[in-house]
Amino acid sequence: MHLEYVPNNSTEYNSGLISLNNILIEQAEIDEYVYLIKAIVTQLDSLLKPVVTVYSEYDTDQKLLRIKEINANKKVLNLILKIGGERILSTVTPVSGDMYKSMTLNRLEVISSLHEASGEAISESLSNTIGKALNMNCYLVISFMVDGQLYGTTLIALKEQPEQYILELLKTYAHFTSISLKRVLTEQALKKSEQELKTITENMTDMVSMTNAEGRITYVSGSYRQLLGYDKDELLGKEVFEVVFEEDLPEVSARFYKAIATGENDSVEYRAVKKDGTIIWLETLGNFLTDSNGLVNGAIFCLRDITDRKKFEEALKESEQKYRQIAENISDVVWISDLELNITYLSPSIEKLIGESPNDHLQRSLEEMFPPDSLNKILTTYQEEMEKEKDPFQDKNRTRIIEVGCYRVDGSTIWVSMHISALRNNEGTIIGLQGITRDITDRKKAEEQVRYLGYHDSLTGLYNRHYFEKCKEELKEISPVSVIMTDVNGLKMINDTYGHKVGDEILIKYAELIRKTFKHSDLFFRWGGDEFVIILKNTEEVKSWELCNRLTKSCSETFANEIPLSISVGVSSKLPGEDINKAIQEAEDMMYKNKLNESKSSKNLIMKTLLQTLSEKSFETKEHIDRMSLIGKRFGKKLNLPPSELSRLETLTMLHDIGKINIDGCILMKENTLTEEEWEEIKKHSEVGYRITRTAEEFAYIAEEILNHHERWDGTGYPQGLAGDRIPYLARILNLIDSYDVMNNGRPYKKKMSTIEIIEEVKRCSGKQFDPDLAEEFVAFLKEGYIKV
């Protein structure tokens, strides 16, 4: 043994050698791994008198060191526990590639800090604290190797660095201790193997037998009874052929004697008959025994029950056609390529995916199979994976999944998902690629639809506010940018009158007008229910107003259910760097100011249109309304109504049946008795009229009267079933006036009545349909002849 350094004090050196020799002799007598670890820690403790000695075992799979044994006096251990010892003692040290290389090349390393020694698992601050508290100023890391691989290390904390000759002795110690480790581990593995072999032999289900040259059994294993049901005594001395099924006997015996003659080992499958008559399948491997002259004098056989396997093979054979048909018709495509990315195999399902046979598709280049961006993605992924192959720690069974476009024969492009993994030989070297390709076109379309809906209004197809947040940063640097904020006037009244379907129709038409009026490069947003924002790039405010006027004119020429489209507008512009949100707020403020001026006229126009439409489809003609207005004015004066109430009554007579606007004219003009469904439709008009008038501020003050003008004094009216004084006073008056006009002028479903008949009808309905006091006043009113027209 050669030492690099010999101390001046040869006495100390000789003493060290003697100690080392005794330690190695001690190791030679240890045959258990656990005891050897304890001995290593104890030996180093006696050699160096360290503060702490820690033995860690290297985990090759997880590439880290786990503490297995610690040696220190109780006082030191208690102090360690006080300063975070629980965490320190359970520390697992990760081993980097550089750290592993260093430990395998250097049997002994001298390190100055616990932070460095722990692979930075222990922080510098904690390392310094422990070092000062325990007076630890030097750390030795001794590495133990088994078959060229790191197996374990010992970390030794010392108060000061030992002399050089001690370090040289420790290198020798590390060498011989590694030999001891290998010996102990090998002996343990051998003991374990022997035990396993013994267990297998005692519990194996396969049967072992020996015969002489004539085929008579000379030995059988204990498993023979379990396999064939015979005891050993029942088989010894008999021919092996006695258990062979009769139909298989000729082939089995012929092959046996041929093998005896040639001395060639053989394997054969045949049926055997158990003691109870059951037939099973056996697989027998025969090895022939020879004498000193090379002549065959017997054979040793290993027999295995393969009945289940035979049944499975038969079932597999029967279903082979079915599985082949499934494999040829599955939609996923299985493929294999070489390392040059040349496809060498394609499953038949490629024809369904691409539209051509596997042979034809194999003739195509990658450029003919994939669009340029998709091919680039494939090549980039391939290069990344080949680079990873240089790293020995990479998972050899890893899979990459990429989604790319793929050409079909008809020229169209579909989306596919490719699950790609390496094809390797027995040594684990990559020799090609293998993968499964699946059509994901439908999924991609669904994802695109989700993305579209995330940024677009589902009704109009314009962008939504979420998309505005996405693109507003881009608008910050464009100059100039103008913002147009618009609001569709009277939309709530239209929704309440005709329903949201008509309201949606108006919004859709308006969105189309926006697209036609402005450039495709401009941005259009549905900002809210009836609010829209138009952002004009590189457009000044003057030009924006010109476009707004064009849009307003187009709206006035657009109708839905005879109602012209009307909008309120606000415009603002911004300079580069200014906040687009500020411009939007300015445009919105201007729009609301304009809306206050335009809203009333817009709603009046809508109401006028509604009344005109109603008069064309029912008896709510101008003449009818004029008659009711005249009667209401005269009867109201008789009742001494104040001027304000007379005015309300006049408006009420004009709008009381506005809710019939949505009812089919055929129902309104029907001469025969209404069906139950038709009557229910008619009864809705008071509620619809209530919603319409409540929407318009100038008519909201008569909404309650319109809602209740078909309520009856006795509570049997509709829609709420109010009775008596709970019915608004003007609604009770309107009920009388409206009933009178119907009786006096007739309807298709009701004959015209004389004044006397009307008076009698009013009396009859007093206290039922009509307020009795009002009915009495109205009868007197009729008798006085105030309403002869």
Side-chain angles (χ1 to χ4, degrees), residues 739-768:
S739 299
Y740 169 78
D741 192 68
V742 170
M743 290 186 285
N744 189 53
N745 293 280
R747 292 288 188 270
Y749 56 85
K750 192 174 185 68
K751 184 180 177 182
K752 179 179 178 181
M753 300 169 66
S754 67
T755 301
I756 295 175
E757 289 174 324
I758 293 172
I759 290 172
E760 290 302 316
E761 181 67 15
V762 171
K763 289 180 178 180
R764 187 182 68 81
C765 293
S766 177
K768 297 177 181 177

PDB file of all heavy atoms in Angstrom, residues 739-768:
ATOM      1  N   SER A 739    -117.844  49.990 -21.664  1.00  0.00           N
ATOM      2  CA  SER A 739    -118.997  49.080 -21.812  1.00  0.00           C
ATOM      3  C   SER A 739    -120.128  49.775 -22.574  1.00  0.00           C
ATOM      4  O   SER A 739    -120.792  49.166 -23.432  1.00  0.00           O
ATOM      5  CB  SER A 739    -119.491  48.622 -20.443  1.00  0.00           C
ATOM      6  OG  SER A 739    -118.472  47.922 -19.754  1.00  0.00           O
ATOM      7  N   TYR A 740    -120.348  51.044 -22.257  1.00  0.00           N
ATOM      8  CA  TYR A 740    -121.412  51.790 -22.942  1.00  0.00           C
ATOM      9  C   TYR A 740    -121.136  51.869 -24.445  1.00  0.00           C
ATOM     10  O   TYR A 740    -122.034  51.646 -25.271  1.00  0.00           O
ATOM     11  CB  TYR A 740    -121.551  53.202 -22.375  1.00  0.00           C
ATOM     12  CG  TYR A 740    -122.437  54.085 -23.222  1.00  0.00           C
ATOM     13  CD1 TYR A 740    -123.828  53.967 -23.145  1.00  0.00           C
ATOM     14  CD2 TYR A 740    -121.886  54.981 -24.141  1.00  0.00           C
ATOM     15  CE1 TYR A 740    -124.643  54.750 -23.959  1.00  0.00           C
ATOM     16  CE2 TYR A 740    -122.696  55.755 -24.953  1.00  0.00           C
ATOM     17  CZ  TYR A 740    -124.073  55.645 -24.863  1.00  0.00           C
ATOM     18  OH  TYR A 740    -124.885  56.405 -25.667  1.00  0.00           O
ATOM     19  N   ASP A 741    -119.880  52.195 -24.843  1.00  0.00           N
ATOM     20  CA  ASP A 741    -119.575  52.345 -26.264  1.00  0.00           C
ATOM     21  C   ASP A 741    -119.762  51.026 -27.004  1.00  0.00           C
ATOM     22  O   ASP A 741    -120.230  51.012 -28.148  1.00  0.00           O
ATOM     23  CB  ASP A 741    -118.136  52.845 -26.451  1.00  0.00           C
ATOM     24  CG  ASP A 741    -117.873  53.287 -27.873  1.00  0.00           C
ATOM     25  OD1 ASP A 741    -118.452  54.303 -28.298  1.00  0.00           O
ATOM     26  OD2 ASP A 741    -117.101  52.587 -28.576  1.00  0.00           O
ATOM     27  N   VAL A 742    -119.406  49.925 -26.359  1.00  0.00           N
ATOM     28  CA  VAL A 742    -119.595  48.605 -26.983  1.00  0.00           C
ATOM     29  C   VAL A 742    -121.079  48.326 -27.175  1.00  0.00           C
ATOM     30  O   VAL A 742    -121.532  47.893 -28.236  1.00  0.00           O
ATOM     31  CB  VAL A 742    -118.946  47.494 -26.124  1.00  0.00           C
ATOM     32  CG1 VAL A 742    -119.355  46.117 -26.649  1.00  0.00           C
ATOM     33  CG2 VAL A 742    -117.433  47.650 -26.106  1.00  0.00           C
ATOM     34  N   MET A 743    -121.918  48.635 -26.119  1.00  0.00           N
ATOM     35  CA  MET A 743    -123.357  48.368 -26.220  1.00  0.00           C
ATOM     36  C   MET A 743    -124.024  49.311 -27.211  1.00  0.00           C
ATOM     37  O   MET A 743    -124.922  48.914 -27.966  1.00  0.00           O
ATOM     38  CB  MET A 743    -123.999  48.511 -24.831  1.00  0.00           C
ATOM     39  CG  MET A 743    -123.601  47.414 -23.858  1.00  0.00           C
ATOM     40  SD  MET A 743    -124.489  47.491 -22.274  1.00  0.00           S
ATOM     41  CE  MET A 743    -123.655  48.872 -21.498  1.00  0.00           C
ATOM     42  N   ASN A 744    -123.548  50.528 -27.263  1.00  0.00           N
ATOM     43  CA  ASN A 744    -124.209  51.532 -28.098  1.00  0.00           C
ATOM     44  C   ASN A 744    -123.854  51.385 -29.575  1.00  0.00           C
ATOM     45  O   ASN A 744    -124.658  51.737 -30.452  1.00  0.00           O
ATOM     46  CB  ASN A 744    -123.819  52.937 -27.605  1.00  0.00           C
ATOM     47  CG  ASN A 744    -124.642  54.019 -28.274  1.00  0.00           C
ATOM     48  OD1 ASN A 744    -125.878  53.981 -28.274  1.00  0.00           O
ATOM     49  ND2 ASN A 744    -123.966  55.002 -28.879  1.00  0.00           N
ATOM     50  N   ASN A 745    -122.650  50.852 -29.880  1.00  0.00           N
ATOM     51  CA  ASN A 745    -122.217  50.769 -31.277  1.00  0.00           C
ATOM     52  C   ASN A 745    -122.105  49.331 -31.783  1.00  0.00           C
ATOM     53  O   ASN A 745    -121.970  49.124 -32.991  1.00  0.00           O
ATOM     54  CB  ASN A 745    -120.865  51.462 -31.451  1.00  0.00           C
ATOM     55  CG  ASN A 745    -120.954  52.965 -31.243  1.00  0.00           C
ATOM     56  OD1 ASN A 745    -121.363  53.697 -32.123  1.00  0.00           O
ATOM     57  ND2 ASN A 745    -120.593  53.421 -30.029  1.00  0.00           N
ATOM     58  N   GLY A 746    -122.176  48.385 -30.867  1.00  0.00           N
ATOM     59  CA  GLY A 746    -122.135  46.990 -31.273  1.00  0.00           C
ATOM     60  C   GLY A 746    -120.729  46.517 -31.635  1.00  0.00           C
ATOM     61  O   GLY A 746    -119.796  47.296 -31.811  1.00  0.00           O
ATOM     62  N   ARG A 747    -120.581  45.177 -31.734  1.00  0.00           N
ATOM     63  CA  ARG A 747    -119.348  44.507 -32.151  1.00  0.00           C
ATOM     64  C   ARG A 747    -119.749  43.281 -32.964  1.00  0.00           C
ATOM     65  O   ARG A 747    -120.910  42.857 -32.921  1.00  0.00           O
ATOM     66  CB  ARG A 747    -118.519  44.083 -30.930  1.00  0.00           C
ATOM     67  CG  ARG A 747    -117.919  45.241 -30.126  1.00  0.00           C
ATOM     68  CD  ARG A 747    -116.779  45.895 -30.899  1.00  0.00           C
ATOM     69  NE  ARG A 747    -116.079  46.887 -30.071  1.00  0.00           N
ATOM     70  CZ  ARG A 747    -116.394  48.157 -30.005  1.00  0.00           C
ATOM     71  NH1 ARG A 747    -117.452  48.603 -30.701  1.00  0.00           N
ATOM     72  NH2 ARG A 747    -115.689  48.995 -29.251  1.00  0.00           N
ATOM     73  N   PRO A 748    -118.808  42.692 -33.666  1.00  0.00           N
ATOM     74  CA  PRO A 748    -119.170  41.479 -34.420  1.00  0.00           C
ATOM     75  C   PRO A 748    -119.789  40.408 -33.533  1.00  0.00           C
ATOM     76  O   PRO A 748    -120.633  39.626 -33.965  1.00  0.00           O
ATOM     77  CB  PRO A 748    -117.821  41.029 -34.993  1.00  0.00           C
ATOM     78  CG  PRO A 748    -117.015  42.275 -35.097  1.00  0.00           C
ATOM     79  CD  PRO A 748    -117.423  43.112 -33.930  1.00  0.00           C
ATOM     80  N   TYR A 749    -119.358  40.396 -32.275  1.00  0.00           N
ATOM     81  CA  TYR A 749    -119.864  39.382 -31.352  1.00  0.00           C
ATOM     82  C   TYR A 749    -121.014  39.890 -30.491  1.00  0.00           C
ATOM     83  O   TYR A 749    -121.512  39.179 -29.634  1.00  0.00           O
ATOM     84  CB  TYR A 749    -118.714  38.910 -30.432  1.00  0.00           C
ATOM     85  CG  TYR A 749    -118.037  40.035 -29.674  1.00  0.00           C
ATOM     86  CD1 TYR A 749    -118.548  40.487 -28.475  1.00  0.00           C
ATOM     87  CD2 TYR A 749    -116.903  40.657 -30.202  1.00  0.00           C
ATOM     88  CE1 TYR A 749    -117.944  41.529 -27.796  1.00  0.00           C
ATOM     89  CE2 TYR A 749    -116.292  41.696 -29.521  1.00  0.00           C
ATOM     90  CZ  TYR A 749    -116.808  42.125 -28.319  1.00  0.00           C
ATOM     91  OH  TYR A 749    -116.202  43.150 -27.646  1.00  0.00           O
ATOM     92  N   LYS A 750    -121.435  41.178 -30.669  1.00  0.00           N
ATOM     93  CA  LYS A 750    -122.488  41.749 -29.806  1.00  0.00           C
ATOM     94  C   LYS A 750    -123.357  42.711 -30.615  1.00  0.00           C
ATOM     95  O   LYS A 750    -122.841  43.617 -31.278  1.00  0.00           O
ATOM     96  CB  LYS A 750    -121.838  42.486 -28.628  1.00  0.00           C
ATOM     97  CG  LYS A 750    -122.811  42.853 -27.531  1.00  0.00           C
ATOM     98  CD  LYS A 750    -122.041  43.436 -26.361  1.00  0.00           C
ATOM     99  CE  LYS A 750    -122.963  43.704 -25.171  1.00  0.00           C
ATOM    100  NZ  LYS A 750    -123.479  42.503 -24.555  1.00  0.00           N
ATOM    101  N   LYS A 751    -124.675  42.521 -30.540  1.00  0.00           N
ATOM    102  CA  LYS A 751    -125.637  43.372 -31.271  1.00  0.00           C
ATOM    103  C   LYS A 751    -125.772  44.743 -30.603  1.00  0.00           C
ATOM    104  O   LYS A 751    -125.668  44.868 -29.394  1.00  0.00           O
ATOM    105  CB  LYS A 751    -127.013  42.675 -31.281  1.00  0.00           C
ATOM    106  CG  LYS A 751    -128.065  43.409 -32.082  1.00  0.00           C
ATOM    107  CD  LYS A 751    -129.383  42.637 -32.013  1.00  0.00           C
ATOM    108  CE  LYS A 751    -130.480  43.402 -32.752  1.00  0.00           C
ATOM    109  NZ  LYS A 751    -131.791  42.723 -32.681  1.00  0.00           N
ATOM    110  N   LYS A 752    -125.959  45.773 -31.443  1.00  0.00           N
ATOM    111  CA  LYS A 752    -126.139  47.134 -30.947  1.00  0.00           C
ATOM    112  C   LYS A 752    -127.415  47.202 -30.100  1.00  0.00           C
ATOM    113  O   LYS A 752    -128.433  46.611 -30.415  1.00  0.00           O
ATOM    114  CB  LYS A 752    -126.248  48.090 -32.134  1.00  0.00           C
ATOM    115  CG  LYS A 752    -126.466  49.544 -31.753  1.00  0.00           C
ATOM    116  CD  LYS A 752    -126.538  50.394 -33.013  1.00  0.00           C
ATOM    117  CE  LYS A 752    -126.800  51.854 -32.669  1.00  0.00           C
ATOM    118  NZ  LYS A 752    -126.894  52.715 -33.869  1.00  0.00           N
ATOM    119  N   MET A 753    -127.390  47.994 -28.971  1.00  0.00           N
ATOM    120  CA  MET A 753    -128.517  48.086 -28.048  1.00  0.00           C
ATOM    121  C   MET A 753    -129.090  49.512 -28.049  1.00  0.00           C
ATOM    122  O   MET A 753    -128.365  50.476 -28.328  1.00  0.00           O
ATOM    123  CB  MET A 753    -128.072  47.702 -26.628  1.00  0.00           C
ATOM    124  CG  MET A 753    -127.533  46.274 -26.522  1.00  0.00           C
ATOM    125  SD  MET A 753    -126.719  45.930 -24.927  1.00  0.00           S
ATOM    126  CE  MET A 753    -128.100  46.050 -23.820  1.00  0.00           C
ATOM    127  N   SER A 754    -130.377  49.604 -27.689  1.00  0.00           N
ATOM    128  CA  SER A 754    -131.021  50.922 -27.572  1.00  0.00           C
ATOM    129  C   SER A 754    -130.645  51.545 -26.234  1.00  0.00           C
ATOM    130  O   SER A 754    -130.141  50.875 -25.330  1.00  0.00           O
ATOM    131  CB  SER A 754    -132.531  50.787 -27.656  1.00  0.00           C
ATOM    132  OG  SER A 754    -133.022  50.090 -26.509  1.00  0.00           O
ATOM    133  N   THR A 755    -130.924  52.840 -26.079  1.00  0.00           N
ATOM    134  CA  THR A 755    -130.590  53.532 -24.834  1.00  0.00           C
ATOM    135  C   THR A 755    -131.318  52.903 -23.657  1.00  0.00           C
ATOM    136  O   THR A 755    -130.748  52.739 -22.558  1.00  0.00           O
ATOM    137  CB  THR A 755    -130.955  55.015 -24.944  1.00  0.00           C
ATOM    138  OG1 THR A 755    -130.229  55.582 -26.038  1.00  0.00           O
ATOM    139  CG2 THR A 755    -130.597  55.763 -23.665  1.00  0.00           C
ATOM    140  N   ILE A 756    -132.623  52.551 -23.869  1.00  0.00           N
ATOM    141  CA  ILE A 756    -133.395  51.921 -22.775  1.00  0.00           C
ATOM    142  C   ILE A 756    -132.758  50.597 -22.381  1.00  0.00           C
ATOM    143  O   ILE A 756    -132.626  50.287 -21.183  1.00  0.00           O
ATOM    144  CB  ILE A 756    -134.869  51.718 -23.213  1.00  0.00           C
ATOM    145  CG1 ILE A 756    -135.533  53.081 -23.440  1.00  0.00           C
ATOM    146  CG2 ILE A 756    -135.626  50.913 -22.162  1.00  0.00           C
ATOM    147  CD1 ILE A 756    -136.938  52.979 -23.998  1.00  0.00           C
ATOM    148  N   GLU A 757    -132.341  49.808 -23.395  1.00  0.00           N
ATOM    149  CA  GLU A 757    -131.715  48.503 -23.108  1.00  0.00           C
ATOM    150  C   GLU A 757    -130.383  48.705 -22.366  1.00  0.00           C
ATOM    151  O   GLU A 757    -130.041  47.932 -21.444  1.00  0.00           O
ATOM    152  CB  GLU A 757    -131.462  47.745 -24.412  1.00  0.00           C
ATOM    153  CG  GLU A 757    -132.744  47.246 -25.067  1.00  0.00           C
ATOM    154  CD  GLU A 757    -132.507  46.636 -26.421  1.00  0.00           C
ATOM    155  OE1 GLU A 757    -131.607  47.154 -27.155  1.00  0.00           O
ATOM    156  OE2 GLU A 757    -133.170  45.661 -26.763  1.00  0.00           O
ATOM    157  N   ILE A 758    -129.666  49.742 -22.767  1.00  0.00           N
ATOM    158  CA  ILE A 758    -128.376  50.016 -22.112  1.00  0.00           C
ATOM    159  C   ILE A 758    -128.601  50.373 -20.645  1.00  0.00           C
ATOM    160  O   ILE A 758    -127.865  49.899 -19.750  1.00  0.00           O
ATOM    161  CB  ILE A 758    -127.637  51.150 -22.849  1.00  0.00           C
ATOM    162  CG1 ILE A 758    -127.211  50.687 -24.253  1.00  0.00           C
ATOM    163  CG2 ILE A 758    -126.402  51.600 -22.062  1.00  0.00           C
ATOM    164  CD1 ILE A 758    -126.639  51.780 -25.128  1.00  0.00           C
ATOM    165  N   ILE A 759    -129.626  51.246 -20.406  1.00  0.00           N
ATOM    166  CA  ILE A 759    -129.907  51.644 -19.016  1.00  0.00           C
ATOM    167  C   ILE A 759    -130.247  50.429 -18.170  1.00  0.00           C
ATOM    168  O   ILE A 759    -129.777  50.284 -17.030  1.00  0.00           O
ATOM    169  CB  ILE A 759    -131.056  52.679 -18.990  1.00  0.00           C
ATOM    170  CG1 ILE A 759    -130.557  54.015 -19.581  1.00  0.00           C
ATOM    171  CG2 ILE A 759    -131.573  52.895 -17.574  1.00  0.00           C
ATOM    172  CD1 ILE A 759    -131.671  55.041 -19.773  1.00  0.00           C
ATOM    173  N   GLU A 760    -131.023  49.504 -18.720  1.00  0.00           N
ATOM    174  CA  GLU A 760    -131.426  48.304 -17.981  1.00  0.00           C
ATOM    175  C   GLU A 760    -130.203  47.416 -17.697  1.00  0.00           C
ATOM    176  O   GLU A 760    -130.090  46.823 -16.626  1.00  0.00           O
ATOM    177  CB  GLU A 760    -132.489  47.533 -18.753  1.00  0.00           C
ATOM    178  CG  GLU A 760    -133.834  48.215 -18.813  1.00  0.00           C
ATOM    179  CD  GLU A 760    -134.388  48.476 -17.422  1.00  0.00           C
ATOM    180  OE1 GLU A 760    -134.313  47.568 -16.546  1.00  0.00           O
ATOM    181  OE2 GLU A 760    -134.874  49.608 -17.193  1.00  0.00           O
ATOM    182  N   GLU A 761    -129.305  47.345 -18.689  1.00  0.00           N
ATOM    183  CA  GLU A 761    -128.107  46.512 -18.523  1.00  0.00           C
ATOM    184  C   GLU A 761    -127.177  47.090 -17.454  1.00  0.00           C
ATOM    185  O   GLU A 761    -126.607  46.358 -16.638  1.00  0.00           O
ATOM    186  CB  GLU A 761    -127.366  46.397 -19.866  1.00  0.00           C
ATOM    187  CG  GLU A 761    -126.113  45.522 -19.837  1.00  0.00           C
ATOM    188  CD  GLU A 761    -126.406  44.051 -19.596  1.00  0.00           C
ATOM    189  OE1 GLU A 761    -127.578  43.627 -19.736  1.00  0.00           O
ATOM    190  OE2 GLU A 761    -125.459  43.297 -19.255  1.00  0.00           O
ATOM    191  N   VAL A 762    -127.064  48.432 -17.438  1.00  0.00           N
ATOM    192  CA  VAL A 762    -126.218  49.075 -16.427  1.00  0.00           C
ATOM    193  C   VAL A 762    -126.797  48.825 -15.039  1.00  0.00           C
ATOM    194  O   VAL A 762    -126.068  48.520 -14.087  1.00  0.00           O
ATOM    195  CB  VAL A 762    -126.079  50.582 -16.707  1.00  0.00           C
ATOM    196  CG1 VAL A 762    -125.380  51.278 -15.529  1.00  0.00           C
ATOM    197  CG2 VAL A 762    -125.310  50.818 -17.998  1.00  0.00           C
ATOM    198  N   LYS A 763    -128.131  48.934 -14.916  1.00  0.00           N
ATOM    199  CA  LYS A 763    -128.772  48.668 -13.619  1.00  0.00           C
ATOM    200  C   LYS A 763    -128.534  47.228 -13.187  1.00  0.00           C
ATOM    201  O   LYS A 763    -128.283  46.947 -12.008  1.00  0.00           O
ATOM    202  CB  LYS A 763    -130.267  48.958 -13.701  1.00  0.00           C
ATOM    203  CG  LYS A 763    -130.625  50.442 -13.808  1.00  0.00           C
ATOM    204  CD  LYS A 763    -132.136  50.603 -13.892  1.00  0.00           C
ATOM    205  CE  LYS A 763    -132.566  52.066 -13.957  1.00  0.00           C
ATOM    206  NZ  LYS A 763    -134.039  52.216 -14.050  1.00  0.00           N
ATOM    207  N   ARG A 764    -128.664  46.319 -14.173  1.00  0.00           N
ATOM    208  CA  ARG A 764    -128.508  44.891 -13.849  1.00  0.00           C
ATOM    209  C   ARG A 764    -127.085  44.583 -13.362  1.00  0.00           C
ATOM    210  O   ARG A 764    -126.891  43.732 -12.486  1.00  0.00           O
ATOM    211  CB  ARG A 764    -128.843  44.064 -15.085  1.00  0.00           C
ATOM    212  CG  ARG A 764    -128.883  42.552 -14.829  1.00  0.00           C
ATOM    213  CD  ARG A 764    -129.178  41.801 -16.120  1.00  0.00           C
ATOM    214  NE  ARG A 764    -128.067  41.903 -17.060  1.00  0.00           N
ATOM    215  CZ  ARG A 764    -126.975  41.149 -16.984  1.00  0.00           C
ATOM    216  NH1 ARG A 764    -126.831  40.273 -16.005  1.00  0.00           N
ATOM    217  NH2 ARG A 764    -126.033  41.293 -17.876  1.00  0.00           N
ATOM    218  N   CYS A 765    -126.143  45.265 -13.923  1.00  0.00           N
ATOM    219  CA  CYS A 765    -124.728  44.989 -13.579  1.00  0.00           C
ATOM    220  C   CYS A 765    -124.239  45.853 -12.420  1.00  0.00           C
ATOM    221  O   CYS A 765    -123.072  45.748 -12.008  1.00  0.00           O
ATOM    222  CB  CYS A 765    -123.841  45.227 -14.801  1.00  0.00           C
ATOM    223  SG  CYS A 765    -124.141  44.045 -16.139  1.00  0.00           S
ATOM    224  N   SER A 766    -125.088  46.732 -11.890  1.00  0.00           N
ATOM    225  CA  SER A 766    -124.700  47.568 -10.763  1.00  0.00           C
ATOM    226  C   SER A 766    -124.414  46.685  -9.550  1.00  0.00           C
ATOM    227  O   SER A 766    -125.205  45.796  -9.209  1.00  0.00           O
ATOM    228  CB  SER A 766    -125.815  48.568 -10.440  1.00  0.00           C
ATOM    229  OG  SER A 766    -125.478  49.333  -9.301  1.00  0.00           O
ATOM    230  N   GLY A 767    -123.258  46.921  -8.915  1.00  0.00           N
ATOM    231  CA  GLY A 767    -122.865  46.108  -7.756  1.00  0.00           C
ATOM    232  C   GLY A 767    -122.209  44.801  -8.148  1.00  0.00           C
ATOM    233  O   GLY A 767    -121.735  44.070  -7.278  1.00  0.00           O
ATOM    234  N   LYS A 768    -122.241  44.481  -9.421  1.00  0.00           N
ATOM    235  CA  LYS A 768    -121.561  43.268  -9.917  1.00  0.00           C
ATOM    236  C   LYS A 768    -120.327  43.688 -10.719  1.00  0.00           C
ATOM    237  O   LYS A 768    -119.201  43.564 -10.268  1.00  0.00           O
ATOM    238  CB  LYS A 768    -122.508  42.440 -10.771  1.00  0.00           C
ATOM    239  CG  LYS A 768    -123.715  41.905 -10.007  1.00  0.00           C
ATOM    240  CD  LYS A 768    -124.656  41.147 -10.954  1.00  0.00           C
ATOM    241  CE  LYS A 768    -125.890  40.633 -10.204  1.00  0.00           C
ATOM    242  NZ  LYS A 768    -126.853  39.964 -11.114  1.00  0.00           N
TER     243      LYS A 768
END
